Amino acid sequence: MLNIGCHLSASKGYAHMAKEAISINANTFQFFTRNPRGGTAKDISEKDIEEFNKIVKENNFTKILAHAPYTINICSANEDTRKFGIDTMKDDLQRMEYTPNNLYNFHPGSHVNQGVEVGINLIIEALNDILKPEQTTTVLLETMAGKGSEIGRSFEEIKQIIDGVKLNEKLGVCLDTCHVYDAGYDIVNDLDGVLNKFDEVIGLDRLKAIHINDSKNPFSSHKDRHEKIGDGSIGLEAFVRIINHPKLKDLPFFLETPNELDGYANEIKILKENYKE
Ligand code: FE
Ligand code: FE
Ligand code: ZN
Protein backbone atom coordinates (compact mmCIF):
# COMPACT_ATOMS: atom_id res chain seq x y z
CA MET A 1 0.00 0.00 0.00
CA LEU A 2 1.18 3.48 -0.84
CA ASN A 3 1.69 5.44 2.37
CA ILE A 4 0.88 8.99 1.47
CA GLY A 5 -0.40 12.24 2.91
CA CYS A 6 -0.04 15.96 2.46
CA HIS A 7 0.71 19.08 4.43
CA LEU A 8 -2.34 20.14 6.50
CA SER A 9 -3.18 23.09 8.72
CA ALA A 10 -2.85 22.25 12.41
CA SER A 11 -5.19 25.03 13.55
CA LYS A 12 -8.07 22.68 14.38
CA GLY A 13 -6.02 20.02 16.15
CA TYR A 14 -4.83 16.46 15.59
CA ALA A 15 -8.17 14.65 15.26
CA HIS A 16 -9.29 17.16 12.65
CA MET A 17 -6.12 16.62 10.60
CA ALA A 18 -6.58 12.84 10.78
CA LYS A 19 -10.17 13.17 9.53
CA GLU A 20 -9.07 15.49 6.74
CA ALA A 21 -6.40 12.97 5.74
CA ILE A 22 -9.00 10.19 5.57
CA SER A 23 -11.27 12.37 3.45
CA ILE A 24 -8.58 12.56 0.74
CA ASN A 25 -7.63 8.87 0.94
CA ALA A 26 -4.39 9.55 2.84
CA ASN A 27 -3.06 7.49 5.74
CA THR A 28 -0.71 10.12 7.17
CA PHE A 29 -0.13 13.89 7.08
CA GLN A 30 2.40 16.62 7.79
CA PHE A 31 1.78 19.78 9.82
CA PHE A 32 3.68 22.72 11.28
CA THR A 33 4.23 22.40 15.01
CA ARG A 34 3.47 26.12 15.35
CA ASN A 35 3.18 29.22 13.21
CA PRO A 36 5.98 28.82 10.64
CA ARG A 37 7.34 32.19 11.73
CA GLY A 38 8.02 30.72 15.18
CA GLY A 39 6.01 31.98 18.13
CA THR A 40 4.21 29.98 20.78
CA ALA A 41 2.52 26.68 20.08
CA LYS A 42 -1.14 25.96 20.76
CA ASP A 43 -1.99 24.03 23.95
CA ILE A 44 -2.44 20.32 23.36
CA SER A 45 -5.80 18.94 24.45
CA GLU A 46 -5.85 15.44 25.94
CA LYS A 47 -9.29 14.89 24.47
CA ASP A 48 -8.06 15.76 20.98
CA ILE A 49 -5.13 13.34 21.34
CA GLU A 50 -7.45 10.58 22.54
CA GLU A 51 -9.73 11.02 19.52
CA PHE A 52 -6.69 11.22 17.23
CA ASN A 53 -5.24 7.97 18.62
CA LYS A 54 -8.54 6.19 18.04
CA ILE A 55 -8.81 7.41 14.43
CA VAL A 56 -5.24 6.53 13.45
CA LYS A 57 -5.55 3.07 14.96
CA GLU A 58 -8.86 2.28 13.28
CA ASN A 59 -7.63 3.55 9.93
CA ASN A 60 -4.15 2.00 9.93
CA PHE A 61 -2.25 5.26 9.69
CA THR A 62 1.49 5.20 9.25
CA LYS A 63 3.82 7.63 11.09
CA ILE A 64 2.87 11.32 10.92
CA LEU A 65 5.42 14.04 10.24
CA ALA A 66 5.70 17.26 12.22
CA HIS A 67 7.62 20.09 10.55
CA ALA A 68 9.59 22.64 12.58
CA PRO A 69 9.03 26.31 11.72
CA TYR A 70 11.19 27.00 8.66
CA THR A 71 12.38 30.34 10.03
CA ILE A 72 14.44 28.91 12.89
CA ASN A 73 18.17 28.71 12.26
CA ILE A 74 20.19 26.67 14.73
CA CYS A 75 23.44 27.60 12.98
CA SER A 76 22.89 31.35 12.99
CA ALA A 77 25.90 33.52 13.87
CA ASN A 78 23.61 35.30 16.32
CA GLU A 79 23.50 33.53 19.68
CA ASP A 80 19.94 34.66 20.50
CA THR A 81 18.63 33.39 17.15
CA ARG A 82 20.40 30.09 17.73
CA LYS A 83 19.00 29.77 21.25
CA PHE A 84 15.49 30.56 20.02
CA GLY A 85 15.76 27.75 17.46
CA ILE A 86 17.11 25.29 20.00
CA ASP A 87 14.40 26.16 22.56
CA THR A 88 11.71 25.86 19.90
CA MET A 89 12.93 22.41 18.87
CA LYS A 90 13.19 21.25 22.50
CA ASP A 91 9.64 22.39 23.15
CA ASP A 92 8.38 20.77 19.93
CA LEU A 93 9.99 17.46 20.86
CA GLN A 94 8.41 17.54 24.31
CA ARG A 95 5.03 18.13 22.71
CA MET A 96 5.67 15.31 20.23
CA GLU A 97 5.62 12.88 23.16
CA TYR A 98 1.83 13.32 23.30
CA THR A 99 1.89 11.37 20.01
CA PRO A 100 4.92 9.12 20.56
CA ASN A 101 7.03 7.30 17.93
CA ASN A 102 6.47 9.71 15.07
CA LEU A 103 8.73 11.91 12.91
CA TYR A 104 9.91 15.52 13.26
CA ASN A 105 11.52 17.27 10.30
CA PHE A 106 13.63 20.43 10.26
CA HIS A 107 15.77 22.46 7.87
CA PRO A 108 19.40 22.16 8.99
CA GLY A 109 19.96 25.91 8.70
CA SER A 110 21.81 28.65 6.81
CA HIS A 111 25.38 29.52 7.70
CA VAL A 112 25.10 32.99 6.07
CA ASN A 113 28.71 34.25 6.02
CA GLN A 114 30.25 31.83 8.48
CA GLY A 115 31.09 29.06 6.01
CA VAL A 116 29.80 25.50 5.79
CA GLU A 117 32.20 24.03 8.38
CA VAL A 118 31.26 26.53 11.11
CA GLY A 119 27.58 26.07 10.25
CA ILE A 120 27.76 22.29 10.45
CA ASN A 121 29.55 22.44 13.79
CA LEU A 122 26.86 24.75 15.22
CA ILE A 123 24.13 22.35 14.03
CA ILE A 124 25.96 19.44 15.69
CA GLU A 125 26.35 21.40 18.92
CA ALA A 126 22.65 22.33 18.87
CA LEU A 127 21.49 18.75 18.22
CA ASN A 128 23.71 17.48 21.02
CA ASP A 129 21.77 19.84 23.30
CA ILE A 130 18.30 19.13 21.82
CA LEU A 131 18.22 15.32 21.54
CA LYS A 132 17.38 13.33 24.67
CA PRO A 133 17.87 9.58 25.24
CA GLU A 134 14.24 9.18 26.38
CA GLN A 135 12.60 10.77 23.34
CA THR A 136 10.58 8.44 21.07
CA THR A 137 10.55 10.83 18.10
CA THR A 138 12.96 10.47 15.20
CA VAL A 139 14.33 13.85 14.12
CA LEU A 140 14.79 14.20 10.36
CA LEU A 141 17.26 16.46 8.58
CA GLU A 142 15.66 17.67 5.35
CA THR A 143 17.71 17.64 2.15
CA MET A 144 17.86 21.24 0.89
CA ALA A 145 18.02 22.88 -2.55
CA GLY A 146 21.12 24.88 -1.67
CA LYS A 147 19.57 28.30 -2.07
CA GLY A 148 21.66 31.03 -0.45
CA SER A 149 23.87 29.50 2.23
CA GLU A 150 21.60 26.58 3.10
CA ILE A 151 23.28 23.59 4.70
CA GLY A 152 22.07 20.15 3.66
CA ARG A 153 22.50 20.75 -0.08
CA SER A 154 24.55 17.58 -0.42
CA PHE A 155 24.36 14.11 1.10
CA GLU A 156 27.92 14.67 2.39
CA GLU A 157 26.83 17.67 4.49
CA ILE A 158 23.96 15.69 6.02
CA LYS A 159 26.28 12.78 6.76
CA GLN A 160 28.78 15.09 8.46
CA ILE A 161 26.05 16.37 10.79
CA ILE A 162 24.85 12.85 11.64
CA ASP A 163 28.41 11.71 12.37
CA GLY A 164 28.98 14.57 14.80
CA VAL A 165 25.85 13.97 16.90
CA LYS A 166 26.20 11.74 19.94
CA LEU A 167 22.62 10.43 20.03
CA ASN A 168 22.48 9.97 16.30
CA GLU A 169 20.26 6.91 16.63
CA LYS A 170 17.53 9.57 17.03
CA LEU A 171 18.35 11.07 13.61
CA GLY A 172 17.09 10.28 10.13
CA VAL A 173 16.70 12.03 6.78
CA CYS A 174 13.70 13.38 4.88
CA LEU A 175 14.41 13.54 1.15
CA ASP A 176 12.57 16.35 -0.65
CA THR A 177 12.32 15.55 -4.37
CA CYS A 178 12.10 19.22 -5.43
CA HIS A 179 15.06 20.14 -3.23
CA VAL A 180 17.40 17.34 -4.35
CA TYR A 181 16.55 17.93 -8.02
CA ASP A 182 17.23 21.65 -7.58
CA ALA A 183 20.42 20.76 -5.72
CA GLY A 184 21.74 18.77 -8.70
CA TYR A 185 20.75 15.14 -7.97
CA ASP A 186 19.17 13.82 -11.16
CA ILE A 187 16.22 11.77 -9.90
CA VAL A 188 14.62 12.06 -13.35
CA ASN A 189 17.30 10.41 -15.49
CA ASP A 190 19.30 8.53 -12.86
CA LEU A 191 17.17 7.64 -9.84
CA ASP A 192 19.21 4.49 -9.18
CA GLY A 193 22.43 6.47 -9.28
CA VAL A 194 21.09 9.03 -6.78
CA LEU A 195 19.83 6.34 -4.41
CA ASN A 196 23.14 4.46 -4.65
CA LYS A 197 24.92 7.70 -3.81
CA PHE A 198 22.60 8.27 -0.84
CA ASP A 199 23.29 4.73 0.35
CA GLU A 200 27.05 5.09 -0.10
CA VAL A 201 27.28 8.45 1.71
CA ILE A 202 24.54 8.35 4.37
CA GLY A 203 23.04 4.84 4.27
CA LEU A 204 19.48 4.19 3.07
CA ASP A 205 18.52 2.95 6.54
CA ARG A 206 18.53 6.65 7.58
CA LEU A 207 15.91 7.57 4.99
CA LYS A 208 12.59 7.83 6.85
CA ALA A 209 10.33 10.04 4.73
CA ILE A 210 9.96 11.60 1.28
CA HIS A 211 8.62 15.08 0.52
CA ILE A 212 7.10 14.51 -2.90
CA ASN A 213 7.03 17.80 -4.82
CA ASP A 214 7.53 18.75 -8.44
CA SER A 215 9.83 21.73 -9.13
CA LYS A 216 9.04 25.02 -10.88
CA ASN A 217 12.72 25.35 -11.85
CA PRO A 218 15.13 23.37 -14.00
CA PHE A 219 17.61 20.77 -12.79
CA SER A 220 20.36 22.08 -10.48
CA SER A 221 18.82 25.57 -10.25
CA HIS A 222 19.30 25.83 -6.44
CA LYS A 223 15.93 27.59 -6.23
CA ASP A 224 13.35 25.64 -4.14
CA ARG A 225 9.95 26.47 -5.62
CA HIS A 226 7.49 23.58 -5.41
CA GLU A 227 5.14 22.74 -8.29
CA LYS A 228 2.10 20.48 -8.58
CA ILE A 229 2.88 16.82 -9.39
CA GLY A 230 3.35 16.51 -13.16
CA ASP A 231 3.35 20.25 -13.86
CA GLY A 232 7.05 20.89 -13.16
CA SER A 233 10.50 19.95 -14.39
CA ILE A 234 10.45 16.53 -12.66
CA GLY A 235 7.24 15.26 -14.26
CA LEU A 236 4.75 12.47 -13.50
CA GLU A 237 6.75 9.64 -15.06
CA ALA A 238 9.65 10.27 -12.70
CA PHE A 239 7.27 10.30 -9.72
CA VAL A 240 5.78 6.98 -10.80
CA ARG A 241 9.31 5.53 -10.78
CA ILE A 242 10.00 7.13 -7.37
CA ILE A 243 6.91 5.78 -5.57
CA ASN A 244 7.45 2.32 -7.07
CA HIS A 245 11.20 2.08 -6.49
CA PRO A 246 11.90 -1.02 -4.35
CA LYS A 247 14.10 1.07 -2.04
CA LEU A 248 11.42 3.76 -1.55
CA LYS A 249 8.00 2.19 -2.02
CA ASP A 250 7.37 1.42 1.67
CA LEU A 251 8.34 4.87 2.97
CA PRO A 252 5.75 7.53 3.83
CA PHE A 253 5.35 10.19 1.09
CA PHE A 254 4.23 13.73 1.94
CA LEU A 255 2.95 16.20 -0.65
CA GLU A 256 3.93 19.86 -0.16
CA THR A 257 2.66 20.99 -3.54
CA PRO A 258 0.80 24.29 -4.07
CA ASN A 259 -2.71 22.89 -3.54
CA GLU A 260 -5.88 23.11 -1.50
CA LEU A 261 -7.41 19.90 -0.15
CA ASP A 262 -9.14 18.95 -3.45
CA GLY A 263 -5.88 19.37 -5.37
CA TYR A 264 -4.11 17.10 -2.88
CA ALA A 265 -6.93 14.55 -3.19
CA ASN A 266 -6.41 14.53 -6.94
CA GLU A 267 -2.63 14.06 -6.68
CA ILE A 268 -3.09 11.21 -4.19
CA LYS A 269 -5.58 9.57 -6.55
CA ILE A 270 -3.20 9.81 -9.53
CA LEU A 271 -0.23 8.48 -7.55
CA LYS A 272 -2.28 5.60 -6.13
CA GLU A 273 -3.49 4.67 -9.63
CA ASN A 274 0.15 4.44 -10.68
CA TYR A 275 1.36 2.46 -7.67
CA LYS A 276 2.10 -1.23 -8.08
CA GLU A 277 1.31 -3.16 -4.89
FE1 FE B 1 10.72 21.70 4.65
FE1 FE C 1 10.13 19.82 1.95
ZN1 ZN D 1 10.94 23.49 -0.33
Side-chain angles (χ1 to χ4, degrees):
M1 192 182 70
L2 178 62
N3 292 306
I4 190 161
C6 68
H7 189 89
L8 295 174
S9 161
S11 62
K12 290 180 182 154
Y14 287 89
H16 184 266
M17 288 189 279
K19 285 180 204 159
E20 250 181 359
I22 291 166
S23 79
I24 57 170
N25 231 337
N27 67 339
T28 184
F29 56 87
Q30 174 179 270
F31 62 101
F32 284 127
T33 53
R34 61 190 73 214
N35 182 312
R37 305 234 150 259
T40 49
K42 220 166 119 261
D43 281 340
I44 289 182
S45 125
E46 305 265 358
K47 205 173 140 259
D48 181 32
I49 297 290
E50 231 172 81
E51 196 189 349
F52 166 80
N53 284 335
K54 193 160 168 271
I55 297 171
V56 300
K57 213 171 150 201
E58 284 173 1
N59 294 277
N60 289 312
F61 269 50
T62 189
K63 286 178 193 296
I64 58 167
L65 178 56
H67 195 308
Y70 50 76
T71 47
I72 61 168
N73 186 9
I74 58 171
C75 67
S76 168
N78 180 297
E79 203 188 322
D80 293 337
T81 307
R82 232 163 41 230
K83 186 172 185 307
F84 177 77
I86 291 167
D87 289 345
T88 299
M89 287 180 69
K90 282 182 178 172
D91 186 50
D92 279 352
L93 286 172
Q94 255 172 29
R95 295 159 54 86
M96 290 289 290
E97 292 301 323
Y98 282 93
T99 55
N101 302 303
N102 283 303
L103 307 168
Y104 176 73
N105 173 70
F106 79 106
H107 296 178
S110 292
H111 66 74
V112 190
N113 290 317
Q114 305 174 91
V116 178
E117 290 305 311
V118 173
I120 286 177
N121 285 329
L122 287 172
I123 296 166
I124 291 169
E125 201 179 286
L127 287 170
N128 279 333
D129 184 7
I130 292 163
L131 301 178
K132 300 283 176 257
E134 64 273 18
Q135 75 180 59
T136 65
T137 304
T138 302
V139 174
L140 308 184
L141 296 141
E142 182 167 356
T143 60
M144 302 310 290
K147 113 174 120 15
S149 63
E150 272 174 353
I151 292 179
R153 66 204 289 152
S154 70
F155 299 158
E156 284 79 4
E157 288 182 8
I158 303 235
K159 168 66 172 168
Q160 220 185 313
I161 297 169
I162 293 171
D163 280 349
V165 174
K166 285 193 207 89
L167 281 173
N168 68 18
E169 69 268 25
K170 306 289 181 190
L171 290 178
V173 177
C174 174
L175 184 140
D176 186 308
T177 56
C178 167
H179 297 178
V180 294
Y181 193 63
D182 285 12
Y185 289 98
D186 195 353
I187 52 172
V188 175
N189 298 300
D190 188 19
L191 179 60
D192 276 317
V194 173
L195 293 177
N196 286 341
K197 185 85 196 165
F198 188 104
D199 199 25
E200 214 179 276
V201 176
I202 302 175
L204 275 168
D205 54 326
R206 291 277 183 191
L207 185 56
K208 303 295 182 196
I210 309 276
H211 279 165
I212 182 167
N213 305 307
D214 214 326
S215 173
K216 280 198 199 293
N217 292 292
F219 177 63
S220 207
S221 57
H222 302 287
K223 282 277 182 17
D224 187 3
R225 297 275 314 281
H226 302 184
E227 181 53 282
K228 293 188 172 74
I229 298 297
D231 288 355
S233 56
I234 298 176
L236 181 61
E237 272 178 50
F239 287 113
V240 172
R241 287 193 292 272
I242 289 167
I243 58 171
N244 286 295
H245 195 286
K247 286 174 177 161
L248 306 178
K249 68 193 308 267
D250 296 322
L251 290 168
F253 292 87
F254 299 88
L255 292 156
E256 301 176 305
T257 45
N259 277 304
E260 302 295 328
L261 207 55
D262 57 340
Y264 281 132
N266 185 46
E267 288 184 344
I268 289 171
K269 183 169 168 277
I270 292 168
L271 291 168
K272 284 195 167 179
E273 282 167 1
N274 284 286
Y275 185 74
K276 296 161 201 84
E277 293 300 333

